[in-house]
Amino acid sequence: MRYIWILTVLITCQGALANDIGEIMDKAKQGSAISQYILATKYQYGLGGLIEDDAEAIKWMRKSALQGTAIAQYNLGLMLANGEGTPKNYAKAMEWLIKSANQGYLEGQTTLGRVYAAGEITPTDHKQAIYWLSKAARQGDSYAQSELAWSFRFVGNKIGAYSWWSIAVTEGYSFVNKWLNEVESEMTLEQIAQAQALAAQCYESNYKDCD
């Protein structure tokens, strides 16, 4: 009886998934941006009974992105950068990442900042890296805060690096303590005091006063 029950559950679940996919496809075809995004991810990863299909994934991701869905714009940018379902196109990838970041999407801002910092698919631009990582860091994301600290470090701004690593530690990102201690060893007491004051001002204002 136990095996019959398990088989019944599996059949029921498969039927439910099929119905869900059918409904998602119908809504996607009717122009629902969120359904288009969901359908794209299911094709991308072969979920919900669908066979993995990068061409279908990017088709539906683009439809959702064109309607202004920030997460779809972000994922479309990644797909274009990685050549998923389409030839790699770094220029277009940057366009969609920027669209996503401009909508305040955290992952878009962080990724864009890292791309500018590393010069992976666009020339290195630390000014742009700091601009976008600052936006992500001010959303309270400790990873973005640490990456922002690194960008300040690369341009020789020890006060900025110290303050953002200090904030990241306060947010629970304690493993960056080694980098915080390293930059502290290169700073004067006056610089450390200035960085600590800046970090406190930023954190206590809930990231509204970080300059």
Side-chain angles (χ1 to χ4, degrees):
M1 291 295 293
R2 180 170 178 270
Y3 296 108
I4 293 174
W5 178 81
I6 292 172
L7 182 60
T8 302
V9 170
L10 287 172
I11 292 171
T12 302
C13 288
Q14 287 174 350
L17 283 171
N19 290 336
D20 288 345
I21 287 296
E23 185 178 351
I24 290 167
M25 282 185 170
D26 287 342
K27 289 182 178 180
K29 290 174 182 177
Q30 290 166 15
S32 167
I34 188 63
S35 294
Q36 290 168 347
Y37 168 72
I38 292 170
L39 184 57
T41 59
K42 289 187 182 296
Y43 272 121
Q44 189 175 13
Y45 300 108
L47 302 174
L50 295 179
I51 297 172
E52 189 174 319
D53 188 330
D54 286 343
E56 282 295 306
I58 199 168
K59 180 183 82 173
W60 289 107
M61 197 70 76
R62 182 177 279 109
K63 287 178 181 291
S64 183
L66 286 167
Q67 293 201 64
T69 309
I71 190 171
Q73 293 172 341
Y74 169 71
N75 278 285
L76 179 58
L78 294 184
M79 294 176 81
L80 287 162
N82 294 326
E84 296 178 40
T86 184
K88 289 182 180 181
N89 189 325
Y90 294 150
K92 286 293 183 183
M94 289 296 292
E95 285 181 19
W96 285 109
L97 289 174
I98 290 169
K99 286 179 185 292
S100 172
N102 274 328
Q103 290 205 66
Y105 186 60
L106 175 63
E107 293 295 333
Q109 292 172 342
T110 304
T111 300
L112 195 55
R114 289 184 65 246
V115 164
Y116 277 120
E120 294 170 344
I121 63 174
T122 191
T124 300
D125 187 332
H126 289 299
K127 184 177 180 179
Q128 282 295 310
I130 289 170
Y131 175 79
W132 288 111
L133 288 169
S134 291
K135 288 184 175 293
R138 292 178 194 209
Q139 292 196 53
D141 184 75
S142 52
Y143 174 73
Q145 291 164 355
S146 178
E147 290 296 305
L148 176 58
W150 272 116
S151 284
F152 277 126
R153 185 85 157 105
F154 286 137
V155 298
N157 186 336
K158 295 173 185 177
I159 291 172
Y162 183 103
S163 63
W164 281 106
W165 270 324
S166 177
I167 290 171
V169 169
T170 302
E171 288 283 13
Y173 222 48
S174 58
F175 82 92
V176 303
N177 258 316
K178 58 185 177 182
W179 301 323
L180 178 62
N181 292 335
E182 182 181 288
V183 73
E184 182 179 18
S185 69
E186 302 170 8
M187 298 168 67
T188 65
L189 291 176
E190 183 181 354
Q191 288 175 322
I192 293 169
Q194 186 179 345
Q196 288 174 339
L198 180 60
Q201 170 185 298
C202 180
Y203 186 74
E204 290 169 8
S205 69
N206 197 25
Y207 302 110
K208 291 181 176 62
D209 189 6
C210 299
D211 298 316

